[in-house]
Amino acid sequence: MKDVRIKLITEIRDAGRKEEMTLSEQGQLYTRNETEVLKFTEHPEEGEPVKTMVTIKPDHISIKRTGPVEMRQVFQKKLETENIYHHTYGDFHMRTWTDQIEYRSLSEASQGRLFISYQMTLNDEVEQRHRLTLLFEEERES
């Protein structure tokens, strides 16, 4: 396990609107064979903390969030996946089509990077384009 500094940048576009959110958190990176797992807790400005676990495998990525929101989203390049997003406002059916996945691990560079470009449909109504960039680097002892 390595302690890492994580920066998550999320970009959402729908119907001519663009929203970008950035958060920085402390986290841990676990590596086992060809699987890497990043764990961190999101501390939104409003509301309860959300525990996030990103599992990175050669053929797919999964993001699991627990707390006030519950979801497990799976990304496989050029495939559609489905799940349920449990939120305080109710449950939403999510369909995700992944366009692109790029991954660079800490074994390849001093800064790791996960980039996912995908389209998401909520309850067969709202269509959004998402770009998720997750940057992480090992914490240096001061």
Side-chain angles (χ1 to χ4, degrees):
M1 187 212 47
K2 291 179 182 173
D3 287 325
V4 290
R5 185 95 196 123
I6 292 170
K7 183 175 185 182
L8 177 63
I9 304 150
T10 311
E11 196 180 294
I12 303 170
R13 293 172 188 260
D14 64 13
R17 198 175 60 92
K18 179 181 168 184
E19 185 180 342
E20 189 172 298
M21 294 158 290
T22 302
L23 64 90
S24 296
E25 299 289 355
Q26 307 285 122
Q28 289 83 40
L29 173 68
Y30 301 86
T31 305
R32 188 169 175 204
N33 302 329
E34 291 192 338
T35 302
E36 292 196 343
V37 176
L38 279 162
K39 284 184 167 184
F40 59 97
T41 301
E42 295 176 43
H43 296 91
E45 290 176 17
E46 298 171 17
E48 299 290 311
V50 178
K51 289 187 174 163
T52 302
M53 183 168 84
V54 181
T55 304
I56 302 155
K57 295 182 179 183
D59 57 346
H60 83 280
I61 311 286
S62 78
I63 298 177
K64 183 179 180 188
R65 300 173 79 207
T66 55
V69 297
E70 301 270 338
M71 64 169 273
R72 181 172 177 269
Q73 195 169 11
V74 176
F75 302 94
Q76 288 181 279
K77 198 171 177 179
K78 302 298 179 198
L79 285 176
E80 185 175 85
T81 56
E82 295 186 50
N83 70 14
I84 302 293
Y85 178 62
H86 303 282
H87 193 278
T88 39
Y89 302 117
D91 292 352
F92 299 94
H93 176 256
M94 282 174 43
R95 284 199 335 259
T96 303
W97 169 265
T98 306
D99 296 303
Q100 191 179 0
I101 296 174
E102 293 172 12
Y103 182 64
R104 180 181 64 218
S105 73
L106 281 182
S107 61
E108 300 170 82
S110 61
Q111 185 181 61
R113 179 179 181 269
L114 172 64
F115 172 79
I116 306 173
S117 171
Y118 62 99
Q119 295 169 58
M120 189 174 74
T121 306
L122 281 176
N123 288 342
D124 295 319
E125 293 169 15
V126 180
E127 272 194 40
Q128 301 174 323
R129 292 199 57 77
H130 287 245
R131 291 167 68 142
L132 180 151
T133 307
L134 183 66
L135 304 170
F136 56 99
E137 55 192 25
E138 200 168 346
E139 285 277 23
R140 298 281 173 234
E141 307 235 348
S142 47

